[in-house]
Coordinates of all heavy atoms in Angstrom, one line a residue:
M1 N 74.8 82.3 120.8 CA 75.0 83.2 121.9 C 75.7 84.5 121.5 O 75.6 85.5 122.1 CB 75.8 82.5 123.0 CG 77.2 82.1 122.7 SD 78.0 81.1 123.9 CE 78.8 82.4 124.9
Y2 N 76.3 84.4 120.3 CA 76.9 85.7 119.8 C 75.9 86.3 118.8 O 75.3 85.6 118.0 CB 78.2 85.4 119.1 CG 79.3 84.9 120.0 CD1 79.6 83.6 120.1 CD2 79.9 85.8 120.9 CE1 80.6 83.1 121.0 CE2 80.9 85.4 121.8 CZ 81.2 84.0 121.8 OH 82.1 83.6 122.7
T3 N 75.9 87.6 118.7 CA 75.2 88.3 117.7 C 76.1 89.4 117.1 O 77.0 89.9 117.7 CB 74.0 89.1 118.4 OG1 74.5 89.9 119.5 CG2 72.9 88.2 118.8
D4 N 75.8 89.6 115.8 CA 76.6 90.6 115.0 C 76.6 91.9 115.7 O 75.6 92.4 116.2 CB 76.1 90.7 113.6 CG 76.3 89.5 112.8 OD1 76.8 88.5 113.4 OD2 76.0 89.5 111.6
Q5 N 77.8 92.6 115.8 CA 77.9 93.9 116.4 C 78.4 94.8 115.3 O 79.2 94.5 114.5 CB 78.9 93.9 117.5 CG 78.4 93.3 118.8 CD 79.4 93.3 119.9 OE1 80.1 94.4 120.1 NE2 79.6 92.2 120.6
L6 N 77.9 96.1 115.4 CA 78.4 97.1 114.5 C 79.4 97.9 115.2 O 79.1 98.5 116.2 CB 77.2 98.0 114.1 CG 77.3 98.6 112.7 CD1 77.4 97.5 111.6 CD2 76.0 99.4 112.4
L7 N 80.6 97.9 114.6 CA 81.7 98.6 115.3 C 82.2 99.7 114.3 O 82.0 99.7 113.1 CB 82.9 97.7 115.6 CG 82.6 96.5 116.5 CD1 83.8 95.7 116.7 CD2 82.1 97.0 117.9
T8 N 82.9 100.7 114.9 CA 83.4 101.8 114.1 C 84.9 101.7 114.0 O 85.6 101.5 115.0 CB 83.0 103.1 114.7 OG1 81.6 103.2 114.8 CG2 83.4 104.3 113.7
C9 N 85.4 101.7 112.7 CA 86.9 101.6 112.5 C 87.6 102.9 113.0 O 87.2 104.0 112.7 CB 87.1 101.5 111.0 SG 88.8 101.5 110.6
V10 N 88.6 102.7 113.8 CA 89.4 103.8 114.4 C 90.2 104.5 113.3 O 90.6 105.6 113.4 CB 90.3 103.4 115.5 CG1 89.5 102.9 116.7 CG2 91.3 102.4 115.1
D11 N 90.5 103.8 112.2 CA 91.3 104.4 111.2 C 90.5 105.2 110.2 O 90.8 106.4 109.9 CB 92.1 103.3 110.4 CG 93.4 103.0 111.0 OD1 93.7 103.5 112.1 OD2 94.2 102.2 110.5
C12 N 89.5 104.6 109.6 CA 88.7 105.3 108.6 C 87.4 105.8 109.0 O 86.7 106.5 108.3 CB 88.7 104.5 107.3 SG 87.6 103.0 107.5
G13 N 87.0 105.3 110.2 CA 85.7 105.8 110.7 C 84.5 105.0 110.1 O 83.3 105.4 110.4
A14 N 84.7 104.1 109.3 CA 83.6 103.3 108.7 C 83.1 102.3 109.7 O 83.8 101.8 110.5 CB 84.1 102.6 107.4
E15 N 81.8 102.1 109.5 CA 81.2 101.0 110.4 C 81.4 99.7 109.7 O 81.3 99.5 108.5 CB 79.7 101.3 110.5 CG 79.5 102.5 111.4 CD 78.0 102.6 111.8 OE1 77.1 102.3 111.0 OE2 77.7 103.0 113.0
F16 N 81.7 98.7 110.5 CA 81.9 97.4 110.0 C 81.2 96.4 111.0 O 81.0 96.7 112.2 CB 83.4 97.0 109.8 CG 84.2 97.0 111.0 CD1 84.5 95.8 111.7 CD2 84.7 98.2 111.6 CE1 85.2 95.8 112.8 CE2 85.4 98.2 112.7 CZ 85.7 97.0 113.4
T17 N 81.0 95.2 110.5 CA 80.3 94.2 111.3 C 81.3 93.3 111.9 O 82.2 92.7 111.3 CB 79.3 93.4 110.4 OG1 78.5 94.3 109.7 CG2 78.5 92.5 111.3
F18 N 81.2 93.2 113.3 CA 81.9 92.2 114.0 C 81.0 91.0 114.1 O 80.1 91.0 115.0 CB 82.3 92.8 115.4 CG 83.2 91.9 116.2 CD1 84.1 91.1 115.6 CD2 83.2 92.0 117.6 CE1 85.0 90.3 116.4 CE2 84.1 91.3 118.4 CZ 84.9 90.4 117.8
T19 N 81.2 90.1 113.2 CA 80.2 89.0 113.1 C 80.2 88.1 114.3 O 81.2 88.0 115.0 CB 80.4 88.2 111.8 OG1 81.6 87.5 111.9 CG2 80.4 89.1 110.6
A20 N 79.1 87.4 114.5 CA 79.0 86.4 115.5 C 80.1 85.4 115.4 O 80.8 85.0 116.4 CB 77.7 85.7 115.5
G21 N 80.4 85.0 114.2 CA 81.5 84.0 113.9 C 82.8 84.5 114.4 O 83.6 83.8 115.0
E22 N 83.1 85.8 114.1 CA 84.4 86.4 114.5 C 84.4 86.6 116.0 O 85.5 86.4 116.6 CB 84.5 87.8 113.8 CG 84.8 87.8 112.3 CD 84.8 89.1 111.7 OE1 83.9 89.9 112.0 OE2 85.7 89.4 110.9
Q23 N 83.3 86.9 116.6 CA 83.3 87.0 118.0 C 83.7 85.7 118.7 O 84.4 85.6 119.7 CB 81.9 87.5 118.5 CG 81.7 88.9 118.2 CD 80.2 89.3 118.5 OE1 79.8 89.1 119.6 NE2 79.5 89.9 117.5
E24 N 83.1 84.6 118.1 CA 83.4 83.3 118.6 C 84.9 83.0 118.5 O 85.5 82.5 119.4 CB 82.5 82.3 117.8 CG 82.4 81.0 118.6 CD 81.4 80.0 117.9 OE1 80.7 80.4 117.0 OE2 81.4 78.8 118.3
F25 N 85.4 83.3 117.3 CA 86.8 83.1 117.0 C 87.7 83.9 118.0 O 88.6 83.3 118.5 CB 87.1 83.6 115.6 CG 88.5 83.5 115.2 CD1 89.1 82.3 114.8 CD2 89.3 84.7 115.1 CE1 90.5 82.2 114.5 CE2 90.7 84.6 114.8 CZ 91.2 83.4 114.4
Y26 N 87.3 85.1 118.2 CA 88.1 85.9 119.2 C 88.0 85.3 120.6 O 89.0 85.2 121.3 CB 87.5 87.3 119.2 CG 88.2 88.3 118.3 CD1 88.2 88.1 116.9 CD2 88.8 89.5 118.8 CE1 88.9 89.0 116.1 CE2 89.4 90.4 117.9 CZ 89.4 90.1 116.6 OH 90.1 91.0 115.8
A27 N 86.8 84.8 121.0 CA 86.7 84.2 122.3 C 87.5 83.0 122.4 O 88.2 82.8 123.4 CB 85.2 83.9 122.5
Q28 N 87.6 82.2 121.3 CA 88.4 81.0 121.3 C 89.9 81.3 121.5 O 90.6 80.6 122.1 CB 88.2 80.2 120.1 CG 86.9 79.3 120.1 CD 86.5 78.7 118.7 OE1 87.3 79.0 117.8 NE2 85.4 78.1 118.7
K29 N 90.3 82.4 120.8 CA 91.7 82.8 120.9 C 92.0 83.5 122.2 O 93.2 83.8 122.5 CB 92.0 83.7 119.7 CG 92.0 83.0 118.4 CD 93.2 82.3 118.1 CE 93.2 81.6 116.8 NZ 94.3 80.7 116.5
G30 N 91.0 83.8 123.0 CA 91.2 84.5 124.2 C 91.5 86.0 124.1 O 92.0 86.6 125.0
F31 N 91.1 86.5 122.9 CA 91.3 88.0 122.7 C 90.3 88.7 123.6 O 89.1 88.4 123.5 CB 91.1 88.4 121.2 CG 92.1 87.8 120.3 CD1 91.8 87.5 119.0 CD2 93.4 87.4 120.8 CE1 92.8 87.0 118.1 CE2 94.3 86.9 119.9 CZ 94.0 86.7 118.6
Q32 N 90.8 89.7 124.3 CA 89.9 90.5 125.2 C 89.3 91.7 124.4 O 88.2 92.1 124.8 CB 90.7 91.0 126.4 CG 91.3 89.9 127.2 CD 90.3 89.1 128.0 OE1 89.3 89.6 128.4 NE2 90.6 87.8 128.1
N33 N 90.0 92.1 123.4 CA 89.6 93.4 122.7 C 88.8 93.1 121.5 O 89.1 92.1 120.8 CB 90.8 94.2 122.4 CG 91.5 94.6 123.6 OD1 90.9 94.9 124.7 ND2 92.8 94.6 123.6
K34 N 87.9 93.9 121.2 CA 87.2 93.9 119.9 C 88.1 94.5 118.9 O 89.0 95.3 119.2 CB 85.9 94.8 120.0 CG 84.9 94.3 120.9 CD 83.8 95.3 121.0 CE 82.7 94.9 122.1 NZ 81.7 95.9 122.3
P35 N 87.9 94.1 117.6 CA 88.7 94.7 116.6 C 88.5 96.2 116.5 O 87.3 96.7 116.6 CB 88.3 94.0 115.3 CG 86.9 93.4 115.6 CD 86.9 93.2 117.1
N36 N 89.6 96.9 116.4 CA 89.4 98.4 116.3 C 89.3 98.9 114.8 O 88.8 100.0 114.6 CB 90.7 99.1 116.8 CG 90.9 98.9 118.3 OD1 89.9 99.0 119.0 ND2 92.1 98.7 118.8
R37 N 89.6 98.0 113.9 CA 89.6 98.4 112.5 C 88.8 97.5 111.6 O 88.6 96.4 111.9 CB 91.1 98.4 112.0 CG 91.9 99.5 112.6 CD 93.4 99.4 112.3 NE 94.1 100.4 113.0 CZ 94.5 100.3 114.2 NH1 94.3 99.2 114.9 NH2 95.1 101.3 114.8
C38 N 88.3 98.2 110.6 CA 87.5 97.4 109.6 C 88.4 96.4 108.9 O 89.6 96.6 108.9 CB 86.8 98.4 108.6 SG 87.9 99.3 107.5
P39 N 87.8 95.4 108.2 CA 88.7 94.4 107.5 C 89.6 95.1 106.5 O 90.8 94.7 106.4 CB 87.7 93.5 106.9 CG 86.5 93.6 107.7 CD 86.4 95.0 108.2
D40 N 89.2 96.1 105.8 CA 90.0 96.8 104.9 C 91.3 97.4 105.5 O 92.4 97.2 105.0 CB 89.2 97.9 104.2 CG 88.3 97.4 103.1 OD1 88.4 96.1 102.8 OD2 87.5 98.1 102.6
C41 N 91.0 98.1 106.6 CA 92.2 98.7 107.3 C 93.1 97.7 107.9 O 94.3 97.9 108.0 CB 91.7 99.7 108.3 SG 91.0 101.2 107.6
R42 N 92.5 96.6 108.4 CA 93.3 95.6 109.0 C 94.3 95.0 107.9 O 95.4 94.7 108.1 CB 92.5 94.5 109.6 CG 92.3 94.6 111.1 CD 91.4 93.5 111.6 NE 90.0 93.9 111.5 CZ 89.0 93.1 111.6 NH1 89.2 91.8 111.7 NH2 87.8 93.5 111.5
Q43 N 93.6 94.7 106.7 CA 94.4 94.2 105.6 C 95.5 95.2 105.2 O 96.7 94.8 105.0 CB 93.5 94.1 104.4 CG 92.8 92.7 104.4 CD 93.7 91.5 104.2 OE1 94.7 91.6 103.4 NE2 93.4 90.4 104.9
A44 N 95.2 96.5 105.2 CA 96.2 97.5 104.8 C 97.3 97.6 105.8 O 98.5 97.7 105.4 CB 95.5 98.9 104.7
R45 N 97.0 97.4 107.1 CA 98.1 97.5 108.1 C 98.9 96.2 108.0 O 100.2 96.3 108.1 CB 97.4 97.5 109.5 CG 97.0 98.9 109.8 CD 96.3 98.9 111.2 NE 97.1 98.6 112.3 CZ 97.9 99.5 112.9 NH1 97.8 100.7 112.6 NH2 98.6 99.1 113.9
K46 N 98.3 95.1 107.7 CA 99.1 93.9 107.6 C 100.0 94.0 106.4 O 101.2 93.6 106.5 CB 98.1 92.7 107.4 CG 98.4 91.5 108.3 CD 97.6 90.3 107.9 CE 96.6 89.9 109.1 NZ 95.7 88.9 108.6
A47 N 99.5 94.5 105.3 CA 100.3 94.6 104.1 C 101.4 95.6 104.3 O 102.6 95.3 103.9 CB 99.4 95.1 102.9
S48 N 101.2 96.7 105.0 CA 102.3 97.7 105.2 C 103.3 97.1 106.1 O 104.5 97.5 106.1 CB 101.7 99.0 105.7 OG 101.3 98.9 107.0
R49 N 102.9 96.2 107.0 CA 103.9 95.7 108.0 C 104.7 94.6 107.3 O 105.9 94.6 107.5 CB 103.1 95.0 109.1 CG 103.8 95.2 110.5 CD 103.1 94.6 111.6 NE 101.7 95.1 111.8 CZ 100.7 94.4 112.4 NH1 101.0 93.3 112.9 NH2 99.6 95.0 112.5
N50 N 104.1 93.8 106.4 CA 104.9 92.8 105.7 C 105.6 93.3 104.5 O 106.7 92.9 104.2 CB 104.0 91.6 105.4 CG 103.4 91.0 106.7 OD1 104.0 91.1 107.7 ND2 102.3 90.3 106.5
G51 N 104.8 94.1 103.7 CA 105.3 94.5 102.4 C 106.5 95.5 102.5 O 106.6 96.2 103.5
G52 N 107.4 95.3 101.6 CA 108.6 96.2 101.6 C 109.6 95.8 102.6 O 110.8 95.7 102.2
G53 N 109.2 95.5 103.8 CA 110.2 95.1 104.8 C 111.2 96.2 105.2 O 112.3 95.9 105.6
G54 N 110.8 97.4 104.9 CA 111.7 98.6 105.2 C 112.2 98.6 106.6 O 113.4 98.7 106.9
M55 N 111.2 98.5 107.6 CA 111.6 98.5 109.0 C 112.6 97.3 109.3 O 113.6 97.6 109.9 CB 110.4 98.4 109.8 CG 109.6 99.7 109.9 SD 110.4 101.0 110.7 CE 110.2 100.5 112.4
Q56 N 112.2 96.2 108.9 CA 112.9 95.0 109.3 C 114.3 95.0 108.7 O 115.3 94.7 109.3 CB 112.2 93.7 108.8 CG 111.1 93.3 109.8 CD 110.0 92.6 109.2 OE1 109.9 92.5 108.0 NE2 109.1 92.0 110.0
R57 N 114.4 95.5 107.4 CA 115.7 95.5 106.8 C 116.6 96.5 107.4 O 117.8 96.3 107.6 CB 115.5 95.7 105.3 CG 116.5 94.9 104.5 CD 116.1 94.9 103.0 NE 114.9 94.1 102.8 CZ 114.1 94.2 101.7 NH1 114.4 95.1 100.8 NH2 113.0 93.5 101.6
S58 N 116.1 97.7 107.7 CA 117.0 98.7 108.3 C 117.3 98.4 109.7 O 118.3 98.9 110.2 CB 116.2 100.1 108.2 OG 115.2 100.1 109.1
Y59 N 116.6 97.5 110.3 CA 116.9 97.1 111.7 C 118.2 96.3 111.7 O 119.0 96.4 112.6 CB 115.8 96.1 112.1 CG 115.8 95.9 113.6 CD1 115.4 96.8 114.5 CD2 116.2 94.6 114.1 CE1 115.5 96.6 115.9 CE2 116.2 94.4 115.4 CZ 115.9 95.3 116.3 OH 115.9 95.1 117.7
G60 N 118.5 95.6 110.6 CA 119.7 94.8 110.5 C 120.9 95.6 110.2 O 122.0 95.2 110.4
T61 N 120.8 96.8 109.6 CA 121.9 97.6 109.2 C 122.5 98.3 110.5 O 121.8 98.6 111.4 CB 121.6 98.7 108.2 OG1 120.6 99.6 108.8 CG2 121.0 98.1 107.0
R62 N 123.8 98.5 110.4 CA 124.5 99.0 111.6 C 124.3 100.5 111.6 O 124.2 101.2 110.6 CB 126.0 98.7 111.5 CG 126.3 97.3 111.9 CD 127.7 97.1 111.5 NE 128.5 96.5 112.6 CZ 129.8 96.1 112.4 NH1 130.4 96.3 111.3 NH2 130.4 95.6 113.4
Q63 N 124.2 101.0 112.8 CA 124.1 102.4 113.0 C 125.5 103.0 112.9 O 126.5 102.5 113.4 CB 123.5 102.8 114.4 CG 123.2 104.2 114.5 CD 122.8 104.6 116.0 OE1 122.7 103.7 116.8 NE2 122.6 105.9 116.2
M64 N 125.6 104.1 112.1 CA 126.9 104.8 111.9 C 127.0 106.0 112.8 O 126.0 106.8 112.9 CB 127.0 105.1 110.4 CG 127.0 103.9 109.5 SD 128.3 102.7 109.8 CE 129.7 103.5 108.9
F65 N 128.1 106.3 113.3 CA 128.3 107.4 114.1 C 129.3 108.4 113.4 O 130.3 108.0 112.8 CB 129.0 107.0 115.5 CG 128.1 106.2 116.3 CD1 128.1 104.8 116.2 CD2 127.2 106.8 117.2 CE1 127.3 104.0 117.0 CE2 126.4 106.0 118.0 CZ 126.4 104.6 117.9
S66 N 128.9 109.6 113.4 CA 129.7 110.6 112.7 C 130.8 111.1 113.7 O 130.5 111.4 114.9 CB 128.8 111.8 112.3 OG 127.9 111.4 111.3
T67 N 132.0 111.2 113.2 CA 133.1 111.6 114.1 C 134.1 112.3 113.2 O 133.9 112.6 112.0 CB 133.7 110.5 114.9 OG1 134.7 110.9 115.8 CG2 134.3 109.4 113.9
T68 N 135.3 112.6 113.7 CA 136.3 113.3 113.0 C 137.5 112.3 112.8 O 137.9 111.6 113.8 CB 136.8 114.5 113.8 OG1 135.7 115.3 114.1 CG2 137.8 115.3 112.9
C69 N 138.0 112.3 111.7 CA 139.2 111.4 111.4 C 140.4 111.8 112.2 O 140.7 113.0 112.2 CB 139.4 111.4 109.9 SG 140.9 110.5 109.4
S70 N 141.0 110.8 112.9 CA 142.2 111.1 113.7 C 143.4 111.5 112.8 O 144.4 112.0 113.3 CB 142.5 110.0 114.6 OG 141.4 109.7 115.4
S71 N 143.3 111.1 111.6 CA 144.5 111.2 110.7 C 144.4 112.5 109.9 O 145.3 113.4 110.0 CB 144.6 110.1 109.8 OG 145.7 110.3 108.9
C72 N 143.3 112.8 109.2 CA 143.3 113.9 108.3 C 142.3 115.0 108.9 O 142.3 116.1 108.3 CB 142.8 113.5 106.9 SG 141.1 113.0 106.8
G73 N 141.6 114.7 109.9 CA 140.7 115.7 110.5 C 139.4 115.9 109.7 O 138.6 116.8 110.1
G74 N 139.2 115.1 108.7 CA 138.0 115.2 108.0 C 136.8 114.4 108.6 O 137.1 113.7 109.6
P75 N 135.7 114.5 108.0 CA 134.5 113.8 108.6 C 134.7 112.3 108.4 O 135.2 111.9 107.3 CB 133.3 114.4 107.9 CG 133.9 114.9 106.6 CD 135.3 115.4 106.9
A76 N 134.3 111.5 109.4 CA 134.4 110.1 109.3 C 133.1 109.5 109.8 O 132.5 110.1 110.7 CB 135.6 109.6 110.0
E77 N 132.8 108.3 109.3 CA 131.6 107.6 109.9 C 132.1 106.2 110.3 O 132.8 105.5 109.5 CB 130.5 107.4 108.8 CG 129.7 108.7 108.7 CD 128.3 108.4 108.2 OE1 128.1 107.4 107.4 OE2 127.4 109.1 108.6
V78 N 131.8 105.9 111.5 CA 132.3 104.6 112.0 C 131.1 103.8 112.6 O 130.2 104.4 113.0 CB 133.4 104.8 113.1 CG1 134.7 105.3 112.5 CG2 132.9 105.7 114.2
P79 N 131.2 102.5 112.5 CA 130.0 101.7 112.9 C 130.0 101.4 114.5 O 129.4 100.5 114.9 CB 130.2 100.4 112.2 CG 131.7 100.3 112.0 CD 132.2 101.7 111.9
F80 N 130.7 102.2 115.2 CA 130.7 102.1 116.7 C 130.8 103.5 117.3 O 131.1 104.5 116.6 CB 131.9 101.3 117.1 CG 133.2 101.8 116.7 CD1 133.9 102.8 117.4 CD2 133.8 101.3 115.5 CE1 135.1 103.2 116.9 CE2 135.0 101.8 115.0 CZ 135.7 102.8 115.7
Q81 N 130.4 103.5 118.5 CA 130.4 104.8 119.2 C 131.9 105.2 119.5 O 132.5 104.6 120.3 CB 129.6 104.7 120.5 CG 129.6 105.9 121.4 CD 128.6 106.9 121.0 OE1 127.4 106.7 121.0 NE2 129.1 108.1 120.7
P82 N 132.4 106.3 118.9 CA 133.7 106.7 119.2 C 133.8 107.2 120.6 O 133.1 108.0 121.1 CB 134.0 107.9 118.2 CG 132.8 107.9 117.3 CD 131.7 107.3 118.1
R83 N 134.8 106.7 121.4 CA 135.0 107.1 122.8 C 136.2 107.9 123.0 O 136.4 108.3 124.2 CB 135.0 105.8 123.6 CG 133.6 105.1 123.7 CD 133.6 104.1 124.7 NE 134.6 103.1 124.5 CZ 134.7 102.0 125.2 NH1 134.0 101.9 126.3 NH2 135.6 101.1 125.0
G84 N 137.0 108.1 122.0 CA 138.1 109.0 122.2 C 139.4 108.4 122.6 O 140.5 109.0 122.7
D85 N 139.3 107.1 123.0 CA 140.5 106.4 123.5 C 141.2 105.6 122.4 O 142.3 105.1 122.5 CB 140.2 105.4 124.7 CG 139.1 104.4 124.3 OD1 138.4 104.6 123.3 OD2 138.9 103.5 125.0
K86 N 140.5 105.6 121.2 CA 141.1 104.9 120.1 C 141.0 105.9 118.9 O 140.1 106.6 118.8 CB 140.4 103.7 119.7 CG 140.8 102.5 120.5 CD 140.0 101.3 120.0 CE 140.0 100.1 121.0 NZ 139.0 99.2 120.7
P87 N 142.0 105.9 118.0 CA 141.9 106.7 116.8 C 140.9 106.2 115.9 O 140.7 105.0 115.8 CB 143.3 106.6 116.2 CG 143.9 105.3 116.7 CD 143.3 105.1 118.1
V88 N 140.1 107.1 115.3 CA 139.2 106.7 114.3 C 139.6 107.3 113.0 O 140.1 108.4 113.0 CB 137.7 107.1 114.7 CG1 137.2 106.2 115.8 CG2 137.6 108.5 115.0
Y89 N 139.4 106.6 111.9 CA 139.8 107.1 110.6 C 138.6 107.1 109.6 O 137.7 106.3 109.7 CB 140.9 106.2 110.0 CG 142.1 106.1 110.9 CD1 142.3 104.9 111.6 CD2 143.0 107.2 111.1 CE1 143.4 104.8 112.4 CE2 144.0 107.1 111.9 CZ 144.3 105.9 112.6 OH 145.4 105.8 113.4
C90 N 138.7 108.1 108.7 CA 137.7 108.1 107.6 C 138.0 106.9 106.7 O 139.1 106.3 106.8 CB 137.8 109.4 106.9 SG 139.3 109.7 106.0
R91 N 137.2 106.7 105.8 CA 137.3 105.5 104.9 C 138.7 105.6 104.1 O 139.4 104.6 104.0 CB 136.2 105.5 103.9 CG 136.1 104.1 103.2 CD 134.8 104.0 102.5 NE 133.7 104.1 103.3 CZ 132.4 104.2 102.9 NH1 132.2 104.3 101.6 NH2 131.4 104.2 103.8
D92 N 139.0 106.8 103.7 CA 140.3 106.9 102.9 C 141.5 106.6 103.7 O 142.3 105.8 103.3 CB 140.4 108.4 102.4 CG 139.4 108.6 101.2 OD1 138.8 107.6 100.7 OD2 139.2 109.7 100.8
C93 N 141.5 107.2 104.9 CA 142.7 107.0 105.8 C 142.7 105.6 106.3 O 143.8 105.0 106.4 CB 142.7 107.9 107.0 SG 142.9 109.7 106.5
F94 N 141.6 105.0 106.6 CA 141.5 103.6 107.0 C 142.1 102.7 106.0 O 142.9 101.8 106.3 CB 140.1 103.3 107.3 CG 139.9 101.9 107.9 CD1 140.3 101.6 109.2 CD2 139.3 100.8 107.2 CE1 140.1 100.4 109.8 CE2 139.2 99.6 107.8 CZ 139.6 99.4 109.1
Q95 N 141.8 102.9 104.7 CA 142.3 102.1 103.7 C 143.8 102.3 103.5 O 144.6 101.4 103.3 CB 141.6 102.3 102.4 CG 140.3 101.4 102.4 CD 139.4 101.7 101.2 OE1 139.7 102.6 100.4 NE2 138.2 101.1 101.2
R96 N 144.2 103.5 103.7 CA 145.6 103.8 103.5 C 146.4 103.2 104.6 O 147.5 102.6 104.4 CB 145.8 105.4 103.5 CG 147.2 105.8 103.0 CD 147.2 107.3 102.7 NE 146.7 108.0 103.8 CZ 145.9 109.1 103.7 NH1 145.6 109.6 102.5 NH2 145.5 109.7 104.8
I97 N 145.9 103.2 105.8 CA 146.6 102.7 107.0 C 146.7 101.1 106.9 O 147.7 100.5 107.2 CB 145.9 103.1 108.3 CG1 146.3 104.6 108.6 CG2 146.4 102.3 109.5 CD1 145.3 105.3 109.4
R98 N 145.6 100.5 106.4 CA 145.6 99.1 106.3 C 146.5 98.6 105.2 O 147.1 97.5 105.3 CB 144.2 98.6 105.9 CG 143.3 98.4 107.1 CD 141.9 98.0 106.6 NE 141.8 96.5 106.9 CZ 140.8 95.8 106.4 NH1 139.9 96.4 105.6 NH2 140.6 94.6 106.7
A99 N 146.7 99.4 104.2 CA 147.4 99.0 103.0 C 148.9 98.9 103.3 O 149.4 99.6 104.2 CB 147.2 99.9 101.9
Ligands
LIG1 ZN1 88.8 101.2 108.3
LIG2 ZN1 141.1 110.8 107.2

């Protein structure tokens, strides 16, 4: 009941075959959409999503807020949003105060 379809890749514009087998697979999975990309571009996207992990790793790092040190008036970076009700210190002053 399925026949091969020729689709155009939205990324590279190349024509690729959406095979009867793939259509059946898509139907079984309940996918409503046809593939937008040729197998090459799909692979490339998958690889860029998994490879490197740049996005995922930076997601875990804390966002730093730039502010002014309450002690020396120099630039300071703190891992929370400074609200002005607490003193914030640059790394040098923070270590001096802790010591
Ligand atoms: Zn492509
Ligand atoms: Zn300071």
Side-chain angles (χ1 to χ4, degrees):
M1 64 189 269
Y2 294 104
T3 51
D4 288 6
Q5 286 181 41
L6 210 56
L7 300 178
T8 306
C9 172
V10 296
D11 271 4
C12 68
E15 289 192 325
F16 64 97
T17 308
F18 187 28
T19 65
E22 285 174 321
Q23 290 173 51
E24 202 176 345
F25 176 78
Y26 267 59
Q28 277 170 3
K29 292 281 178 185
F31 296 154
Q32 301 291 325
N33 299 320
K34 294 173 185 174
N36 291 322
R37 289 173 182 84
C38 67
D40 283 353
C41 289
R42 262 178 275 163
Q43 276 292 324
R45 281 174 68 87
K46 230 188 243 175
S48 72
R49 218 180 300 158
N50 297 335
M55 285 293 283
Q56 276 152 348
R57 219 165 290 160
S58 68
Y59 193 74
T61 61
R62 281 168 134 177
Q63 190 186 354
M64 298 298 281
F65 295 89
S66 295
T67 184
T68 308
C69 175
S70 303
S71 176
C72 70
E77 281 208 327
V78 291
F80 53 87
Q81 174 85 60
R83 289 192 299 181
D85 56 346
K86 277 184 197 164
V88 288
Y89 303 108
C90 66
R91 193 169 298 168
D92 286 350
C93 293
F94 185 70
Q95 275 171 3
R96 197 166 48 217
I97 285 157
R98 274 181 107 191

